[in-house]
mmCIF file of all heavy atoms in Angstrom:
data_model
loop_
_atom_site.group_PDB
_atom_site.id
_atom_site.type_symbol
_atom_site.label_atom_id
_atom_site.label_comp_id
_atom_site.label_asym_id
_atom_site.label_seq_id
_atom_site.Cartn_x
_atom_site.Cartn_y
_atom_site.Cartn_z
ATOM 1 N N PRO R 83 100.541 96.245 125.946
ATOM 2 C CA PRO R 83 101.157 97.174 126.879
ATOM 3 C C PRO R 83 102.594 96.609 127.097
ATOM 4 O O PRO R 83 102.844 95.399 127.013
ATOM 5 C CB PRO R 83 100.407 97.161 128.224
ATOM 6 C CG PRO R 83 99.096 96.521 127.805
ATOM 7 C CD PRO R 83 99.229 95.599 126.661
ATOM 8 N N ARG R 84 103.526 97.537 127.379
ATOM 9 C CA ARG R 84 104.893 97.123 127.518
ATOM 10 C C ARG R 84 105.099 96.159 128.673
ATOM 11 O O ARG R 84 105.899 95.247 128.510
ATOM 12 C CB ARG R 84 105.671 98.422 127.931
ATOM 13 C CG ARG R 84 107.122 98.377 127.789
ATOM 14 C CD ARG R 84 107.928 99.577 128.077
ATOM 15 N NE ARG R 84 107.510 100.625 126.956
ATOM 16 C CZ ARG R 84 107.041 101.807 127.205
ATOM 17 N NH1 ARG R 84 107.121 102.346 128.269
ATOM 18 N NH2 ARG R 84 106.765 102.578 126.148
ATOM 19 N N ARG R 85 104.235 96.248 129.726
ATOM 20 C CA ARG R 85 104.389 95.335 130.852
ATOM 21 C C ARG R 85 104.113 93.864 130.465
ATOM 22 O O ARG R 85 104.503 92.926 131.108
ATOM 23 C CB ARG R 85 103.680 95.780 132.029
ATOM 24 C CG ARG R 85 102.137 95.862 131.783
ATOM 25 C CD ARG R 85 101.402 96.340 132.945
ATOM 26 N NE ARG R 85 99.943 96.704 132.581
ATOM 27 C CZ ARG R 85 98.983 95.736 132.499
ATOM 28 N NH1 ARG R 85 99.331 94.463 132.609
ATOM 29 N NH2 ARG R 85 97.708 96.093 132.141
ATOM 30 N N LEU R 86 103.317 93.656 129.361
ATOM 31 C CA LEU R 86 102.964 92.320 128.985
ATOM 32 C C LEU R 86 103.785 91.847 127.614
ATOM 33 O O LEU R 86 103.413 90.757 127.059
ATOM 34 C CB LEU R 86 101.455 92.247 128.561
ATOM 35 C CG LEU R 86 100.483 92.631 129.825
ATOM 36 C CD1 LEU R 86 99.073 92.581 129.419
ATOM 37 C CD2 LEU R 86 100.639 91.612 130.939
ATOM 38 N N LEU R 87 104.653 92.705 127.297
ATOM 39 C CA LEU R 87 105.423 92.334 126.000
ATOM 40 C C LEU R 87 106.064 91.077 125.958
ATOM 41 O O LEU R 87 105.998 90.300 125.045
ATOM 42 C CB LEU R 87 106.333 93.483 125.706
ATOM 43 C CG LEU R 87 107.078 93.434 124.380
ATOM 44 C CD1 LEU R 87 106.018 93.389 123.262
ATOM 45 C CD2 LEU R 87 108.064 94.613 124.088
ATOM 46 N N LEU R 88 106.820 90.668 126.977
ATOM 47 C CA LEU R 88 107.470 89.403 127.127
ATOM 48 C C LEU R 88 106.465 88.220 126.895
ATOM 49 O O LEU R 88 106.786 87.269 126.212
ATOM 50 C CB LEU R 88 108.278 89.182 128.359
ATOM 51 C CG LEU R 88 109.578 90.089 128.314
ATOM 52 C CD1 LEU R 88 110.315 89.938 129.621
ATOM 53 C CD2 LEU R 88 110.435 89.838 127.208
ATOM 54 N N ASN R 89 105.407 88.299 127.743
ATOM 55 C CA ASN R 89 104.347 87.245 127.551
ATOM 56 C C ASN R 89 103.755 87.188 126.183
ATOM 57 O O ASN R 89 103.567 86.017 125.618
ATOM 58 C CB ASN R 89 103.197 87.609 128.489
ATOM 59 C CG ASN R 89 103.582 87.422 129.961
ATOM 60 O OD1 ASN R 89 104.478 86.986 130.293
ATOM 61 N ND2 ASN R 89 102.753 87.936 130.784
ATOM 62 N N ALA R 90 103.599 88.345 125.483
ATOM 63 C CA ALA R 90 103.079 88.375 124.113
ATOM 64 C C ALA R 90 104.072 87.779 123.111
ATOM 65 O O ALA R 90 103.730 86.961 122.172
ATOM 66 C CB ALA R 90 102.674 89.804 123.678
ATOM 67 N N ILE R 91 105.304 88.124 123.363
ATOM 68 C CA ILE R 91 106.442 87.495 122.435
ATOM 69 C C ILE R 91 106.426 86.046 122.552
ATOM 70 O O ILE R 91 106.501 85.192 121.659
ATOM 71 C CB ILE R 91 107.677 88.062 122.648
ATOM 72 C CG1 ILE R 91 107.751 89.653 122.286
ATOM 73 C CG2 ILE R 91 108.818 87.353 122.087
ATOM 74 C CD1 ILE R 91 108.950 90.427 122.774
ATOM 75 N N VAL R 92 106.271 85.498 123.851
ATOM 76 C CA VAL R 92 106.472 84.061 124.121
ATOM 77 C C VAL R 92 105.220 83.419 123.473
ATOM 78 O O VAL R 92 105.265 82.377 122.769
ATOM 79 C CB VAL R 92 106.453 83.781 125.551
ATOM 80 C CG1 VAL R 92 106.140 82.317 125.881
ATOM 81 C CG2 VAL R 92 107.795 84.223 126.114
ATOM 82 N N LEU R 93 103.916 84.057 123.594
ATOM 83 C CA LEU R 93 102.786 83.385 123.089
ATOM 84 C C LEU R 93 102.840 83.402 121.538
ATOM 85 O O LEU R 93 102.403 82.432 120.884
ATOM 86 C CB LEU R 93 101.499 84.182 123.504
ATOM 87 C CG LEU R 93 101.103 83.925 124.872
ATOM 88 C CD1 LEU R 93 99.887 84.773 125.379
ATOM 89 C CD2 LEU R 93 100.609 82.442 125.124
ATOM 90 N N GLY R 94 103.368 84.482 120.976
ATOM 91 C CA GLY R 94 103.547 84.539 119.470
ATOM 92 C C GLY R 94 104.532 83.438 118.906
ATOM 93 O O GLY R 94 104.238 82.658 117.983
ATOM 94 N N SER R 95 105.555 83.312 119.643
ATOM 95 C CA SER R 95 106.521 82.243 119.273
ATOM 96 C C SER R 95 105.862 80.794 119.504
ATOM 97 O O SER R 95 106.148 80.036 118.627
ATOM 98 C CB SER R 95 107.790 82.411 120.059
ATOM 99 O OG SER R 95 108.679 81.403 119.874
ATOM 100 N N LEU R 96 105.205 80.750 120.528
ATOM 101 C CA LEU R 96 104.552 79.393 120.831
ATOM 102 C C LEU R 96 103.519 79.027 119.670
ATOM 103 O O LEU R 96 103.497 77.860 119.280
ATOM 104 C CB LEU R 96 103.810 79.460 122.245
ATOM 105 C CG LEU R 96 103.061 78.134 122.621
ATOM 106 C CD1 LEU R 96 104.077 77.017 122.791
ATOM 107 C CD2 LEU R 96 102.345 78.424 123.905
#
Side-chain angles (χ1 to χ4, degrees):
R84 195 173 298 130
R85 62 184 169 74
L86 299 175
L87 186 57
L88 289 177
N89 292 347
I91 290 170
V92 169
L93 285 174
S95 178
L96 180 65

